[in-house]
Amino acid sequence: MSVQLPLAPGSAIGILGGGQLGRMLALAAARLGFDVVVLERQADSPAGRTAAKLIVADYKDEAALADLAGLTGLVTYEFENVPASSVDWLAAHGVEVAPGARALAVAQDRFEEKTFLNAHGAPTVAFAPADTPQEAVKAVAKLGAPALMKTRREGYDGKGQRWVEHAPDAAAAFAELGGVPVIVEAAAEFVRELSVIAARGRDGAMAVYPLAENHHEHGILRRSIAPARASQATAEQAERIAARVLSGLDYVGVIGIELFEMADGRLLVNEIAPRVHNTGHWTQDGCEVDQFEQHIRAIAGWPLGPTKPIAQVEMLNLLGEEADAWVRFAAEPETRIHLYGKHGARPGRKMGHLNRVRPL
């Protein structure tokens, strides 16, 4: 199905992936008058239960992709590990996919990602690739221990990575990560972790949200505070980084950029995510237009919405059985509850989040 942009209300938008980000995108799209078609492997998924139509199949199933293409000419994705071959198939059959294949390719390989960032004026820590145990040892020796070793592909919420305290230990860490290609990163002596959520429209217009300050536990985002207390110079530095990344990728949609703030005030990019982002959940109750509506606006060719903050927000991820306390949270006047409709509360699994709202 061909698509005419800007996309008119009543049209359909496809989403690859049925998790909580897909769910919140589907809800935002519905609010703007769009129908959503979700392609997801599980029959019972958070996004699938909010969509106008659900296609249950593997992301690489060409019959399912053909069904999706027959229902909508515009598709997005909720996570960056969707197979690039699926995006290529859709594009080859006339479907507009946003963000595009370039963003997906860069984000799916951590070495390609950091290489791209440095080439486009977005600084990172020093890094080196390693394809063998011997190369891993040499990389840590070159960069200095301790160093962080990550698989080049896959991995999230602290998975797929190991700290290496001494160079000779790198061979064992390489084996523990499955013996697959890795990237070794120099340790970052940062003051705090920040993130910026930004959007780019089809006309090249950009919209940047205020910075969020983020706190992780065991590799999982625990809470974000936004707008973060930051100098004008820091905010402008983050905006410049976002603009370089978005322009370099010819990006359409919302992107999340994780940052390290160094003691001297420099910002280093930790990683990028070509999608709506956990650290942007605060925008649902803290901004005039949240990140989910902004993403739908951008990919549909609509004007981008204002990113002005209307409240101070502390976003708290609800992990495992913490979401069972919804009655207590509902009694807190300043708290807005966002639950994902997941079944099976496992330790560390994101079941929802809270936005605790206070005046600016």
Side-chain angles (χ1 to χ4, degrees):
M1 179 185 293
S2 61
V3 63
Q4 184 173 350
L5 299 170
L7 197 66
S11 304
I13 295 175
I15 299 177
L16 296 172
Q20 67 261 23
L21 298 179
R23 180 187 183 96
M24 290 181 275
L25 282 170
L27 292 171
R31 193 169 64 247
L32 296 180
F34 297 113
D35 290 333
V36 167
V37 182
V38 168
L39 173 56
E40 162 59 32
R41 292 168 293 191
Q42 303 297 322
D44 186 15
S45 66
R49 294 199 304 275
T50 61
K53 184 173 178 59
L54 171 65
I55 301 171
V56 180
D58 187 85
Y59 302 126
K60 294 183 179 180
D61 186 323
E62 292 190 0
L65 291 170
D67 286 345
L68 183 63
L71 292 166
T72 176
L74 175 63
V75 171
T76 189
Y77 43 87
E78 65 136 16
F79 69 119
E80 59 268 44
N81 289 325
V82 62
S85 60
S86 300
V87 172
D88 292 339
W89 191 97
L90 289 168
H93 288 77
V95 177
E96 176 71 25
V97 182
R102 173 67 173 146
L104 201 62
V106 167
Q108 285 184 347
D109 186 312
R110 289 186 172 90
F111 177 69
E112 295 295 334
E113 177 184 63
K114 282 188 163 51
T115 301
F116 164 83
L117 289 168
N118 281 266
H120 288 80
T124 68
V125 297
F127 62 96
D131 295 338
T132 67
Q134 294 77 17
E135 289 179 358
V137 172
K138 290 180 181 178
V140 174
K142 176 184 176 182
L143 296 172
L148 186 59
M149 185 183 297
K150 301 177 180 177
T151 56
R152 284 179 60 162
R153 292 182 173 273
E154 305 290 336
Y156 61 95
D157 286 346
K159 299 178 178 67
Q161 61 185 50
R162 295 285 189 280
W163 277 101
V164 180
E165 299 296 333
H166 307 283
D169 300 336
F174 183 87
E176 290 173 4
L177 291 173
V180 297
V182 299
I183 181 173
V184 179
E185 300 177 1
E189 298 295 329
F190 57 88
V191 175
R192 60 176 176 167
E193 295 183 49
L194 300 169
S195 62
V196 62
I197 306 298
R200 184 172 182 269
R202 293 189 176 275
D203 59 356
M206 296 188 193
V208 181
Y209 288 91
L211 285 163
E213 179 178 325
N214 307 309
H215 301 265
H216 291 75
E217 294 178 7
H218 309 296
I220 301 174
L221 180 69
R222 189 56 169 161
R223 64 190 180 107
S224 295
I225 300 168
R229 292 186 177 180
S231 68
Q232 184 66 25
T234 299
E236 290 175 355
Q237 190 180 167
E239 289 180 11
R240 285 195 299 272
I241 288 172
R244 290 167 182 167
V245 172
L246 290 168
S247 296
L249 292 172
D250 194 20
Y251 197 87
V252 173
V254 163
I255 195 169
I257 305 175
E258 297 180 8
L259 304 162
F260 294 136
E261 183 180 27
M262 310 303 283
D264 61 4
R266 288 180 303 134
L267 294 179
L268 302 181
V269 180
N270 178 30
E271 62 182 33
I272 62 175
R275 54 173 169 79
V276 287
H277 198 256
N278 197 169
T279 64
H281 290 354
W282 72 274
T283 64
Q284 289 175 297
D285 300 291
C287 289
E288 292 181 336
V289 170
D290 68 37
Q291 65 166 344
F292 300 100
E293 178 179 332
Q294 194 77 283
H295 185 78
I296 298 300
R297 282 172 171 252
I299 66 171
W302 286 27
L304 298 181
T307 57
K308 182 179 178 181
I310 57 175
Q312 180 78 31
V313 178
E314 179 186 22
M315 189 284 299
L316 180 71
N317 274 329
L318 296 176
L319 306 177
E321 295 180 351
E322 291 174 348
D324 294 344
W326 56 268
V327 172
R328 174 166 61 85
F329 298 136
E332 300 174 358
E334 76 280 8
T335 298
R336 308 292 177 265
I337 309 173
H338 301 266
L339 299 176
Y340 304 152
K342 292 181 178 179
H343 305 303
R346 299 188 301 272
R349 190 183 192 199
K350 295 173 184 174
M351 303 299 291
H353 67 271
L354 306 177
N355 282 334
R356 290 197 167 107
V357 180
R358 299 176 180 86
L360 282 171

